[in-house]
Amino acid sequence: MPKYSRQREAIREFLAARYDHPTAETVYRNLREEFPNISLGTVYRNLTLLTELGEIRKLSTGAGPDRFDGNTSPHYHFICNGCGCVLDLGVGGLDHINILAGQNFEGVVEGHLTYFYGKCPSCTKNKKPIDKPFSVV
Amino acid sequence: MPKYSRQREAIREFLAARYDHPTAETVYRNLREEFPNISLGTVYRNLTLLTELGEIRKLSTGAGPDRFDGNTSPHYHFICNGCGCVLDLGVGGLDHINILAGQNFEGVVEGHLTYFYGKCPSCTKNKKPIDKPFSVV
DNA sequence: CTGCATGCAAAAACTTTGCACCGCC
DNA sequence: GGCGGTGCAAAGTTTTTGCATGCAG
């Protein structure tokens, strides 16, 4: 078990209170208000540790830096092609695709990672993407 | 339409003949046999271009560098937790999960990206992972 | 006190880009 | 010949790490 640290606790709380899946940089900038001397290295170290402990989830979107999610309950993510925002989806019960994937396969399928893409509610209504695509601070 | 180049053609052919989803670095090292002066920048430029043209696919596995797939037909990928290899799966007909994901969601779900995880046939048989996890050259 | 976590900075890992020259059209 | 592609190298972006110091147990 790792030793307690105020920094790690603050990172955990910060992520638990946010629903926009911030990047390490965003966590760092916000944590500096409470810890003016916190370093980006510490943020990365703790994000990695919390991910390994299963207390947060890391999202690798394939474009730009990784994002982090304080919500570890089983759920899926939606990435908007318009503005780049990352949203939680309520969908569940997709585990059957592991069975489908395991058919005609000699190995063992233990799980899957899925990202859904499309237009978020905001971009759907506004038809045009907002000014700053993929910048979510 | 981009102008023909021997380098790009060689990259396309190299990927079409491989089924192990090589990284840019691997493409580079292999191409240097035919083009001793080819640069990593050229490899990256062409991999990006071919991806945009839809002639190859880019795989962002979330760990390590991106990989590239010369097979653009619709299929899914399996990533081995043991040795890190990336395999093609024959499974199809997973599009219904877009419908499921779109329920109770105000936006528009246009597609999804899924990676399956588990033990590849080799790691299943050998029980223990091979010596060099995640190094596929 | 002892050792793990931090802060700081350097470095690593991966990818993109500016520029002069070369080769396709 | 003109312009797009290449080679080379430098720089950009994201993440990791070495080391001295500080705080938790």
Side-chain angles (χ1 to χ4, degrees):
Chain A
M1 279 297 117
K3 191 185 288 186
Y4 169 88
S5 94
R6 294 195 303 135
Q7 288 87 338
R8 177 162 56 250
E9 198 51 35
I11 290 171
R12 190 209 320 273
E13 285 171 10
F14 177 75
L15 285 178
R18 300 264 301 216
Y19 297 92
D20 61 347
H21 315 87
T23 64
E25 179 71 27
T26 301
V27 174
Y28 170 63
R29 282 212 295 272
N30 281 271
L31 268 277
R32 266 202 309 192
E33 293 172 11
E34 188 181 352
F35 301 88
N37 291 320
I38 197 172
S39 74
L40 196 49
T42 294
V43 171
Y44 271 106
R45 269 188 291 243
N46 280 308
L47 289 172
T48 301
L49 178 55
L50 290 170
T51 301
E52 287 167 355
L53 294 175
E55 304 190 9
I56 64 174
R57 281 172 64 188
K58 177 161 106 166
L59 311 179
S60 298
T61 63
D66 288 343
R67 290 159 170 277
F68 296 88
D69 188 349
N71 175 6
T72 57
S73 68
H75 65 283
Y76 288 86
H77 293 103
F78 173 90
I79 301 172
C80 180
N81 289 326
C83 66
C85 69
V86 179
L87 303 175
D88 290 326
L89 288 180
V91 63
L94 262 45
D95 286 350
H96 67 283
I97 68 176
N98 291 343
I99 310 287
L100 295 175
Q103 289 165 1
N104 307 315
F105 180 62
E106 303 296 319
V108 180
V109 176
E110 297 170 349
H112 66 268
L113 194 58
T114 295
Y115 295 103
F116 292 94
Y117 288 86
K119 292 281 184 296
C120 75
S122 174
C123 285
T124 301
K125 286 177 201 131
N126 300 328
K127 287 182 182 167
K128 298 208 173 177
I130 62 178
D131 271 0
K132 293 182 169 183
F134 287 87
S135 81
V136 177
V137 181
Chain B
M1 282 297 115
K3 190 187 288 186
Y4 169 89
S5 93
R6 294 195 304 133
Q7 288 88 335
R8 177 162 55 250
E9 198 51 33
I11 291 171
R12 190 209 318 272
E13 286 171 10
F14 177 75
L15 285 178
R18 301 265 298 217
Y19 297 93
D20 62 347
H21 317 85
T23 64
E25 179 72 27
T26 301
V27 174
Y28 170 64
R29 282 213 295 273
N30 281 271
L31 268 277
R32 265 202 308 193
E33 294 172 11
E34 187 181 354
F35 301 88
N37 291 321
I38 197 173
S39 74
L40 196 48
T42 294
V43 171
Y44 271 106
R45 269 188 292 242
N46 280 309
L47 289 172
T48 300
L49 178 55
L50 290 170
T51 300
E52 286 167 356
L53 294 175
E55 305 190 8
I56 64 175
R57 281 172 64 187
K58 177 161 105 166
L59 312 180
S60 298
T61 63
D66 288 344
R67 290 159 169 277
F68 296 88
D69 189 348
N71 175 7
T72 57
S73 69
H75 65 283
Y76 289 86
H77 293 103
F78 173 91
I79 301 172
C80 180
N81 289 325
C83 67
C85 69
V86 178
L87 303 175
D88 291 326
L89 288 180
V91 63
L94 261 45
D95 285 351
H96 68 282
I97 69 175
N98 291 342
I99 309 288
L100 295 176
Q103 289 165 0
N104 308 315
F105 180 62
E106 303 296 319
V108 180
V109 176
E110 298 170 350
H112 66 269
L113 194 59
T114 296
Y115 295 103
F116 292 94
Y117 289 86
K119 292 281 183 296
C120 74
S122 174
C123 285
T124 301
K125 286 176 203 135
N126 300 328
K127 287 183 183 166
K128 298 209 173 177
I130 61 176
D131 270 359
K132 294 182 169 183
F134 286 88
S135 80
V136 178
V137 182

